[in-house]
Amino acid sequence: MKTIGSNSRSPETSKNEEFDSLKRRIHGKLVDKLDLNKVGELEGETLRREIRLVVEHLCDTEDTLLNRNERERLIDEVLDETFGLGPLELLLKDPKVCDILINGPNSIFVERQGKMERTDVEFRDNAHLMQIIDRIVSKVGRRVDETCPMVDARLQDGSRVNAIIPPLALDGAAVSIRRFGSNPLKLEDLLNFKAFTPEMVMLLEGAIKARLNVVISGGTGSGKTTMLNTMSSFISNSDRIITIEDAAEIQLQQEHVVRLETRPPNIEGKGAITATDLVKNALRMRPERIIIGECRGPETLDMLQAMNTGHEGSMTTLHANTPRDAIARMETMIMMAGFELPIKAMRQQISSAVDLIIQASRLQGGKRRITHITEVVGMEQDTVVMQDVYRYIQDGIDEAGGARGRFVATGIRPNFMPRLEAVGIRLPSSAFSERVMLND
């Protein structure tokens, strides 16, 4: 005896399946109809406009009843499938989406304004998802397959993409997209979001102009790269800057910038170019500043040596939870270079190379704050001496479930102030007087 309704499908499900079937049919006809030679002669909006006319004609040839909204949606989705990233285009057009997390073809989450939520967007199947991943990675000269099942890439707007596919990902390909919009956040935006205070900005601007070496540390999604981009706006337009990254995402506005990107091994396991290789090569390119997108391995030693040998004003980011942890992490990464240096020698390298550590944190509720601006003073016996100039102290949680706290000045005047004054930057003594600067 059958249970009533056990095999029945809702009218909505049936309608969606018919819509998807129609979309695939029109897309297939479009691919057959396209003259690839003529398509290659057109570009951008002109190409999309011409193809749109073809799709509209194909829709007219189909014997289906679609209202105006459904017809427009069908045309847009066919165009996205042909030129864009298929179902992802809808999410990429939403400026509020900062992270897109794909856990297989039927499970897509986004982070909007600090909150994670599941979306209704789906891929047809894992093969459809794999097709979109291939489209992303092939544009930046990368590949992803069973022999190389993990890849880092980027979108045209600079957004960072990481993909991992079966057999490593058990439930279908997993993709993480960290959005970097076409209009990156500027200094004024971060001040409005209370990521830091005007006094902190004055100090950071002076530090960059006085060519102090800066390390930005923080956890995943804490805003390290955004902070790096913001601080780079203080660099002189005449400086020769060389950037080194695994997937290019630093967006510098200066004229004299050379961008370098690492290369993974080829299908035979050869030809890899690491960040260490690029740092060594960058030293021969007459750089005035070297910016490494993220130190995560042996290149840390080369970066510190560059900072110690006349390349002041260099910057990098790394993963760490506190400024003290950042020092310990650098020690670990120096060891990864394969040199058995004494602990004291490593710490002397770090303390003489790094002038300032900026700690970025992502707090509860999605708020991003600069929680420490810490000066590296030097060595005392075997210990790296550090002092906080500014701090953010979390006091609790507000009604919306977000972190609530205050920015404080510790009352310490940094030892590097004479370097700022030597280049004509004078900060008022009130900028360092011990007090609460801002409550949020």
Side-chain angles (χ1 to χ4, degrees):
M1 181 177 176
K2 287 186 178 180
T3 305
I4 294 175
S6 60
N7 291 324
S8 64
R9 293 183 302 171
S10 70
E12 187 67 28
T13 302
S14 180
K15 189 174 182 180
N16 286 339
E17 288 180 358
E18 287 175 15
F19 186 88
D20 287 340
S21 175
L22 176 61
K23 184 171 71 176
R24 284 198 297 273
R25 200 158 60 243
I26 289 178
H27 183 254
K29 287 183 178 179
L30 176 65
V31 171
D32 293 337
K33 199 175 180 69
L34 285 180
D35 184 336
L36 295 179
N37 291 327
K38 288 185 178 178
V39 166
E41 295 170 4
L42 302 172
E43 8 178 282
E45 284 304 311
T46 307
L47 176 60
R48 194 174 177 100
R49 197 162 51 246
E50 292 290 326
I51 301 301
R52 186 182 186 89
L53 294 173
V54 177
V55 176
E56 286 174 352
H57 174 69
L58 290 173
C59 284
D60 293 336
T61 62
E62 290 287 335
D63 186 22
T64 53
L65 294 174
L66 294 174
N67 61 39
R68 180 179 293 180
N69 289 339
E70 289 172 337
R71 190 171 185 273
E72 282 300 310
R73 180 185 151 208
L74 177 67
I75 292 169
D76 286 339
E77 289 189 13
V78 169
L79 289 172
D80 288 341
E81 200 67 49
T82 307
F83 299 109
L85 301 179
L88 292 182
E89 287 292 332
L90 185 66
L91 302 177
L92 293 170
K93 288 171 185 170
D94 186 346
K96 293 181 180 177
V97 171
C98 55
D99 283 312
I100 302 173
L101 306 171
I102 303 169
N103 310 328
N106 304 314
S107 178
I108 301 178
F109 291 80
V110 297
E111 183 185 310
R112 280 192 183 94
Q113 299 176 322
K115 291 186 171 58
M116 193 72 70
E117 55 189 71
R118 185 167 185 159
T119 70
D120 296 329
V121 175
E122 291 185 352
F123 291 87
R124 287 195 304 274
D125 49 33
N126 200 55
H128 185 206
L129 174 54
M130 284 298 302
Q131 181 186 347
I132 298 301
I133 294 171
D134 282 332
R135 192 175 296 176
I136 292 171
V137 302
S138 61
K139 285 183 179 177
V140 291
R142 304 281 170 101
R143 64 185 178 83
V144 61
D145 50 41
E146 285 193 6
T147 61
C148 182
M150 298 182 289
V151 67
D152 284 312
R154 64 182 183 278
L155 302 181
Q156 285 184 325
D157 64 1
S159 299
R160 186 171 66 213
V161 180
N162 173 270
I164 181 166
I165 66 169
L168 301 188
L170 302 182
D171 301 317
V175 183
S176 307
I177 301 175
R178 172 70 49 79
R179 295 291 309 284
F180 289 97
S182 52
N183 297 314
L185 291 174
K186 295 185 172 59
L187 183 64
E188 296 77 18
D189 300 319
L190 296 178
L191 280 169
N192 290 336
F193 293 147
K194 297 182 179 179
F196 39 57
T197 68
E199 294 91 340
M200 296 162 82
V201 172
M202 285 193 296
L203 180 64
L204 296 178
E205 181 177 0
I208 297 301
K209 290 182 176 176
R211 305 182 70 86
L212 270 62
N213 293 321
V214 177
V215 170
I216 302 171
S217 74
T220 300
S222 60
K224 299 187 297 297
T225 304
T226 301
M227 190 66 198
L228 185 62
N229 281 327
T230 303
M231 290 184 63
S232 68
S233 65
F234 300 131
I235 298 175
S236 167
N237 207 33
S238 61
D239 284 1
R240 177 173 168 82
I241 308 165
I242 296 180
T243 68
I244 296 168
E245 303 172 83
D246 283 332
E249 54 187 319
I250 298 173
Q251 299 168 316
L252 301 187
Q253 307 306 315
Q254 286 76 8
E255 291 179 358
H256 204 163
V257 178
V258 179
R259 303 168 74 209
L260 305 179
E261 190 174 64
T262 60
R263 187 176 71 184
N266 60 20
I267 198 164
E268 296 171 349
K270 299 176 181 177
I273 304 295
T274 65
T276 304
D277 299 327
L278 292 180
V279 173
K280 288 176 180 174
N281 192 77
L283 296 176
R284 305 185 186 105
M285 298 171 68
R286 199 204 166 279
E288 288 174 302
R289 296 178 191 256
I290 297 174
I291 298 178
I292 298 184
E294 183 181 339
C295 277
R296 53 164 66 91
E299 69 275 6
T300 306
L301 179 58
D302 296 290
M303 180 69 187
L304 292 173
Q305 288 178 324
M307 289 176 169
N308 274 325
T309 53
H311 299 93
E312 291 98 349
S314 297
M315 292 191 286
T316 188
T317 73
L318 56 82
H319 277 81
N321 295 323
T322 66
R324 179 62 64 184
D325 285 350
I327 298 289
R329 182 101 202 282
M330 281 188 266
E331 292 174 13
T332 304
M333 291 189 291
I334 290 172
M335 293 178 189
M336 292 167 69
F339 299 107
E340 294 190 12
L341 294 175
I343 288 289
K344 186 171 183 177
M346 279 195 288
R347 290 178 181 171
Q348 282 174 334
Q349 279 276 325
I350 294 168
S351 65
S352 61
V354 179
D355 298 303
L356 202 60
I357 296 177
I358 300 167
Q359 182 68 37
S361 297
R362 185 178 186 277
L363 307 177
Q364 189 165 338
K367 290 181 179 178
R368 291 169 174 85
R369 296 287 182 266
I370 298 303
T371 55
H372 297 77
I373 294 183
T374 303
E375 179 188 14
V376 180
V377 179
M379 287 281 291
E380 195 170 285
Q381 295 183 342
D382 289 350
T383 305
V384 177
V385 179
M386 305 159 71
Q387 56 186 17
D388 293 336
V389 181
Y390 296 115
R391 272 207 314 260
Y392 176 85
I393 300 171
Q394 184 175 338
D395 294 323
I397 294 171
D398 59 24
E399 298 79 13
R404 176 173 49 81
R406 63 193 192 277
F407 290 97
V408 299
T410 61
I412 293 172
R413 181 181 171 85
N415 292 344
F416 55 68
M417 287 308 294
R419 289 178 61 181
L420 272 64
E421 291 164 2
V423 295
I425 297 166
R426 287 177 171 78
L427 303 184
S429 57
S430 59
F432 304 109
S433 58
E434 187 175 359
R435 70 193 192 287
V436 174
M437 298 184 294
L438 179 69
N439 288 293
D440 69 353

